[in-house]
Amino acid sequence: MSRALPMSVAWLRRQHAVPLWAVAGSAAVLTGLVRLVGFGQSADVFGDEIYYWHIGSSVDSGGFPRYRGGPFFLHPPGFFYLAGTWERLLGSHADVISGVYQMRLLNALLASVTAMVLVLLIIRVTRSTPAAVVVGIVYALDPFVLRLTERVLIETSMMLWVLLGYLVLLPLAAKDPPRRANRRAAVGGLLFGLAILTKDVAALITVLPLLASVVFPWSSRRSLPLLAAGFATVPYAVYVAVVAAGGHFEEMWAVKTHGVRRLLGLAQETGFNAEGAPPLSQRVVEELTQFGSTYVLLVLGPLAVVPLLRRGGRSQRLLGLWYLSAGVALAYAVVEGTLEEQALYMLLVPTIVILAVAAVHLWERRTGHRRRTPVLRVWTVFVLVVTLGLSAFTYAGGRSEPDDGYARLRQYMAEHVPAGSPVTSASGSTDLILEDRYRVGRWRTPQERALAKAAYVVVPWRLVEQGYSPFTLGQTKALTQQGELLFSFQGRTYGTVAVYRLPVPQTAQGAGGG
């Protein structure tokens, strides 16, 4: 404990009051339990989850990740090999819902380990066990973190590698680097490389801050961040070499260049900037009640990073560069690039870190204004209480009502709709849920439905209302009003998920039975 600290704030540095392993372990257990409560009913199946389940299943016996029979190069293979190994350990599932739920357990485990690493990182930077405890609770309960990490999404494993890399590299920013600094730089760089091998965009929050730190004061050896950045490229370089040796380089190059165009916004196919998608401002307002505590953290982030860059030590400045890199990348995505909600996770995690570091500095800070310091501390506690209160309220509300419309839809259709039946689908996510059992199509006109003999229509109404459907709202209403409602479920994710049975129109004279 520093003797320079007054007794009123000295408790922040009582590291040994609770064993470090107990704090980190408790954060991991809390994060896991929060995700397991109501497991299977708390969050409806997301379209990307089904893609990733299929791709992960394709590598349970090795080989390149594959989808629909061809190699998959849109994302690197890091997460898919983890998912394939997980499925090999627990056994495979033919049913899409069961397969996705099994891989959600993997992401819950990854999130638990992430919470543990966050605790260790905060203690290393701030030497404050209470601050680490708070960060562990915030990460476990934050509604946006929960939404992303309880689903089968790549970003959870990517961020875990990123945090491990910073945990290893931060001691190198000290005035006196530890022994075997080069080895530590290489290990940290390789951990960053695994993050990039999980998702390419991780380079923006790993390699970019390392290169920027060469300009800012780093240590007596500025070669260390360059060495780490060099090693960060090794895993991906090996991946490219293996792809080239397998004869797939041209195919990979075509996919990756198109992916860069999407990242830069030159090709807007998905996300909030895509044609027909609802504006980001509308989505933010709609989800204010759900992600209010997340928005509080994001708003405070820019206020916290400035004092860290101006008056913080070398470790704090490196974390500030990490935050700035994520902020610049997200800001570009908002203005010009392909903006998808998963990208917010890249900014939210460093935001939680720098807010904790800045809060400890603020709590310990001495100023010439005796009245100002207590007021700032009171505001710090107030913001923390409000944030955790909103998160807990949102969590309780989300667990009190089931949100598993697609699982219920599939169960109902398995019991009441014969396998192989033609089904008109109003959403790509519905296609993914049903296509292994039914013949799914976009038959909307009487002639098309007559030729296909399609009597069933499945509609997730919120996706139609928000423009995420090939059918307009008017077309969908006109189609469903012709039939009888067989099944409906109201959930948070897709609104009303419904199944309708429509009379099959008579085939036009001479058109044939199709």
Side-chain angles (χ1 to χ4, degrees), residues 310-341:
R310 291 181 57 190
R311 296 186 293 272
R314 291 180 173 89
S315 298
Q316 289 87 345
R317 290 180 182 179
L318 179 59
L319 295 177
L321 292 175
W322 171 28
Y323 170 83
L324 287 180
S325 299
V328 170
L330 188 65
Y332 180 84
V334 170
V335 177
E336 293 288 345
T338 296
L339 177 62
E340 298 176 332
E341 65 178 24

Side-chain angles (χ1 to χ4, degrees), residues 157-477:
S157 55
M158 177 200 73
M159 188 57 68
L160 174 57
W161 294 120
V162 170
L163 288 168
L164 285 169
Y166 278 109
L167 183 65
V168 170
L169 291 175
L170 280 176
L172 300 180
K175 292 183 179 180
D176 299 317
R179 296 178 57 189
R180 299 176 180 176
N182 288 341
R183 183 179 300 180
R184 181 179 284 269
V187 171
L190 288 175
L191 290 170
F192 279 173
L194 291 175
I196 300 170
L197 192 64
T198 302
K199 192 165 186 177
D200 315 66
V201 74
L204 298 177
I205 56 175
T206 54
V207 175
L208 185 59
L210 287 175
L211 296 179
S213 69
V214 176
V215 180
F216 287 83
W218 169 269
S219 66
S220 57
R221 296 177 56 186
R222 294 178 182 244
S223 61
L224 293 176
L226 293 176
L227 179 64
F231 270 91
T233 65
V234 171
Y236 203 91
V238 173
Y239 165 56
V240 173
V242 172
V243 170
H248 298 290
F249 182 78
E250 291 185 3
E251 186 177 355
M252 177 186 178
W253 178 258
V255 173
K256 288 301 181 184
T257 52
H258 181 68
V260 172
R261 287 174 54 82
R262 289 183 61 224
L263 179 65
L264 297 176
L266 301 177
Q268 294 284 1
E269 299 174 354
T270 60
F272 293 101
N273 292 330
E275 184 178 357
L280 177 62
S281 57
Q282 175 185 330
R283 189 67 174 272
V284 168
V285 172
E286 290 176 351
E287 297 187 337
L288 182 61
T289 56
Q290 183 177 1
F291 298 128
S293 57
T294 302
Y295 295 161
V296 170
L297 297 176
L298 293 173
V299 168
L300 293 176
L303 301 177
V305 73
V306 174
L308 289 187
L309 292 175
R310 291 181 57 190
R311 296 186 293 272
R314 291 180 173 89
S315 298
Q316 289 87 345
R317 290 180 182 179
L318 179 59
L319 295 177
L321 292 175
W322 171 28
Y323 170 83
L324 287 180
S325 299
V328 170
L330 188 65
Y332 180 84
V334 170
V335 177
E336 293 288 345
T338 296
L339 177 62
E340 298 176 332
E341 65 178 24
Q342 297 96 309
L344 185 62
Y345 187 65
M346 286 201 315
L347 178 64
L348 183 56
V349 173
T351 297
I352 294 173
V353 172
I354 66 163
L355 284 176
V357 176
V360 172
H361 279 236
L362 178 63
W363 197 273
E364 296 177 347
R365 181 183 174 189
R366 296 189 194 181
T367 67
H369 304 274
R370 295 183 178 180
R371 296 180 179 179
R372 181 182 300 177
T373 300
V375 170
L376 292 175
R377 292 173 185 166
V378 169
W379 272 104
T380 302
V381 174
F382 175 75
V383 170
L384 175 61
V385 171
V386 169
T387 302
L388 290 179
L390 288 174
S391 296
F393 179 79
T394 302
Y395 176 79
R399 260 49 185 182
S400 63
E401 299 180 2
D403 185 31
D404 56 345
Y406 274 171
R408 296 177 186 232
L409 165 71
R410 186 175 171 92
Q411 181 180 357
Y412 173 85
M413 294 189 66
E415 296 173 354
H416 297 89
V417 180
S421 299
V423 176
T424 299
S425 168
S427 167
S429 61
T430 309
D431 298 353
L432 296 171
I433 290 290
L434 301 177
E435 64 184 1
D436 66 325
R437 183 177 174 85
Y438 302 98
R439 186 160 60 93
V440 181
R442 298 282 187 265
W443 306 296
R444 68 187 81 181
T445 67
Q447 294 80 6
E448 291 171 341
R449 292 197 299 110
L451 290 172
K453 297 182 179 179
Y456 298 95
V457 179
V458 177
V459 181
W461 279 101
R462 180 166 294 167
L463 295 184
V464 176
E465 294 165 354
Q466 292 181 344
Y468 292 113
S469 170
F471 294 2
T472 65
L473 182 59
Q475 289 172 334
T476 308
K477 288 182 177 180

